[in-house]
Amino acid sequence: MTAVDDRLGHMVKSLEQELSGAKDAALRPMGLTVPQYSALLVIADTPGISGAELARRCLVTPQTMTTVLGNLTVKGLIERRTVPGQGRAMETTITAAGKRLLGRADKKILEVEELLNGQLSKADQQSLRKLLEKCRSAFTTVTASVEAQEETPAAPTRPARKTAKKAPAAKRPAKKAASKRTATRAKKA
């Protein structure tokens, strides 16, 4: 075993990639990606959800979710409507076609997840959930601590040392700059 193989974070990432790859292979014949499937699953569970909240729940960036939602809308799997009095906010709902496709996709994903579940007893599955949540909470605590530090006023700093200012490029002698460019071109040729 190499040093990287012995690291817990590497093992978690490796498992995540294997699981994601298996899900991708199961969804591809249906014309769905893993983020699209996740979005449909959350939208079906939470009709009217905003794009920002959907991105958080699906563990993707808002920019990625915008693309996912655009693709799902074009495919006719979701509908998006503006919310009166909410500015640019839009609520998202799943269409009948989206529900049918999600039903088929979810069966395939459950088969993939059963490969994982099948390796563990019910007690081990419960233990793994608790252990993963315990590990994840360490980062939640660290993130909250960092955010709190960012909000705390910084200690006074020394004034910056004054340095001589260079003349703007337009006021510098052009001859030196031109001769440097010529020398550089000659070396490259």
Side-chain angles (χ1 to χ4, degrees), residues 2-171:
T2 66
V4 74
D5 293 332
D6 195 37
R7 294 192 179 199
L8 190 55
H10 181 74
M11 290 293 293
V12 171
K13 181 64 176 175
S14 177
L15 173 60
E16 188 274 331
Q17 286 182 328
E18 293 291 334
L19 184 60
S20 185
K23 286 181 176 183
D24 183 58
L27 294 171
R28 194 175 305 122
M30 291 179 246
L32 284 178
T33 64
V34 174
Q36 289 171 349
Y37 162 78
S38 296
L40 286 174
L41 192 62
V42 174
I43 294 166
D45 192 43
T46 317
I49 191 169
S50 71
E53 180 59 24
L54 187 58
R56 281 188 287 280
R57 299 262 314 268
C58 292
L59 308 175
V60 298
T61 65
Q63 295 83 354
T64 297
M65 187 51 66
T66 298
T67 301
V68 167
L69 292 173
N71 290 334
L72 291 173
T73 301
V74 168
K75 292 178 181 183
L77 302 175
I78 62 168
E79 292 178 345
R80 303 194 73 210
R81 291 182 285 281
T82 57
V83 181
Q86 295 292 319
R88 296 183 349 196
M90 298 185 80
E91 66 179 19
T92 306
T93 56
I94 191 167
T95 64
K99 287 179 185 177
R100 285 190 301 274
L101 183 58
L102 176 59
R104 290 187 8 244
D106 202 36
K107 285 180 185 174
K108 292 294 186 183
I109 294 303
L110 288 173
E111 289 173 13
V112 169
E113 290 183 357
E114 189 52 39
L115 293 172
L116 178 64
N117 295 339
Q119 301 301 308
L120 304 169
S121 69
K122 294 288 183 192
D124 285 345
Q125 290 176 34
Q126 195 62 14
S127 293
L128 180 58
R129 281 186 187 91
K130 287 179 182 176
L131 290 169
L132 290 171
E133 186 55 42
K134 187 176 183 179
C135 291
R136 191 170 69 170
S137 71
F139 293 99
T140 305
T141 304
V142 167
T143 302
S145 174
V146 169
E147 287 172 354
Q149 287 176 357
E150 288 174 353
E151 292 173 7
T152 304
T157 58
R158 288 189 212 160
R161 287 188 282 162
K162 292 188 178 189
T163 57
K165 289 186 177 181
K166 290 185 179 179
K171 293 184 180 180

